[in-house]
DNA sequence: ATAAACCATACCAATTTTGTATGATTTATA
DNA sequence: TATAAATCATACAAAATTGGTATGGTTTAT
């Protein structure tokens, strides 16, 4: 039905691993433990840092650490961080794109219902639910 | 977050139009009213027929008609019909593909939670909710 | 100073999605 | 029964997205 992107999947694996560790974890450590390439791990971690889901320490002996408690981190937050905050419908992507099918589209509002329902559902699942 | 495919979006527009009509609607009529190309409408209608969401009458004077009451047709049904019944996670696509990251993956079961939540949410929205 | 790490960006390859084209089959009707 | 109106089946190319990698720059402990 809705396919979770590989990247989002990977990120859940990484975050699950991080929720076990108290100390910092570097890209190479994470890559080794998860069998992902360093480049891929690095790409994902950058997105998670931007979304303030993990915090980073630069320089030697640096690494990443969860910035949020697993029970306060929702699946929706994670997926949004990785795949972007694109709306559910193509029509409401941005205000610029006119709706071709229905003028002054009331349809768009209806589709927001779908989007809202999905968002809500994913908001109610925490990383802790996924990991424990 | 989750992007509704254009095809699924189109299909909701088409089904909304059909829920207004008592009589049969042909591909060309639907195309004209929705501003979609006939080929695209035809492609979508075939999928909806296969999913038994609409019924079709072949031959001259033929066309399509809703096979289900709008209040009994869920967004999940529609999206599944158009985009396929792919699972939410890449890992659980089919039994054949081994999980590379975590052996004997318990993770897959966790990800089913996400899938289940989304499915459930979309099951609770009917075409009538979207159209009315 | 050096090495270990994160950061930023750009890029190509692979996959998926969109959209169209072509021909075959069915059936109402003149 | 011939014709036209319509669905059905399949195949395919173009476009968009996603997955994954490479390169070079910046920060910081030792
Ligand atoms: S085109 Fe899909 S809502 Fe307007
Ligand atoms: S690789 Fe994603 S659950 Fe195993």
């Amino acid at each position: 039905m809705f396919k979770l992107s590989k990247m989002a999947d990977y990120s859940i694996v990484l975050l699950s691993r991080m929720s076990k560790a108290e100390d910092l974890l570097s890209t190479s450590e994470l890559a080794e433990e998860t069998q992902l390439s360093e480049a891929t791990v690095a790409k994902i971690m950058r997105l998670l840092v931007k979304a303030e889901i993990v915090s980073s320490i630069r320089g030697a002996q640096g690494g990443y650490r969860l910035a949020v408690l697993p029970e306060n981190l929702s699946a929706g937050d994670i997926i949004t961080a990785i795949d972007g905050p694109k709306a559910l419908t193509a029509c409401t992507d941005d205000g610029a794109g006119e709706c071709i099918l229905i003028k002054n589209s009331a349809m768009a509002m209806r589709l927001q219902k779908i989007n809202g329902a999905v968002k809500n559902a994913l908001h109610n699942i925490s990383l802790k639910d996924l990991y424990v």
Side-chain angles (χ1 to χ4, degrees), chain A:
Chain A
M1 170 125 29
F2 282 114
K3 183 177 62 182
L4 191 64
S5 71
K6 282 191 185 178
M7 287 300 182
D9 183 17
Y10 296 162
S11 72
I12 292 175
V13 174
L14 290 168
L15 288 167
S16 294
R17 173 63 189 85
M18 293 185 76
S19 69
K20 281 198 282 191
E22 252 314 303
D23 45 351
L24 293 177
L25 288 170
S26 69
T27 298
S28 57
E29 285 172 317
L30 286 168
E32 190 175 3
E33 298 199 27
T34 59
Q35 308 282 19
L36 294 168
S37 82
E38 290 201 19
T40 296
V41 172
K43 185 177 193 171
I44 291 170
M45 296 315 288
R46 258 175 284 126
L47 292 170
L48 294 177
V49 167
K50 252 185 198 161
E52 300 185 336
I53 289 172
V54 308
S55 56
S56 64
I57 310 279
R58 299 184 65 163
Q61 308 301 322
Y64 302 96
R65 178 198 339 250
L66 271 187
V68 192
L69 289 176
E71 51 265 41
N72 294 334
L73 179 58
S74 77
D77 294 335
I78 300 171
I79 296 170
T80 299
I82 302 299
D83 293 337
K86 275 187 220 161
L88 180 59
T89 72
C91 314
T92 54
D93 260 343
D94 52 2
E98 285 278 346
C99 169
I100 322 169
L101 301 181
I102 302 175
K103 327 183 185 194
N104 205 351
S105 175
M107 190 70 183
M109 282 175 52
R110 305 280 148 61
L111 295 179
Q112 292 280 23
K113 271 197 187 180
I114 298 180
N115 196 22
V118 173
K119 266 189 186 168
N120 189 53
L122 294 180
H123 189 72
N124 289 326
I125 301 177
S126 75
L127 175 60
K128 189 164 189 181
D129 294 330
L130 294 175
Y131 175 62
V132 171

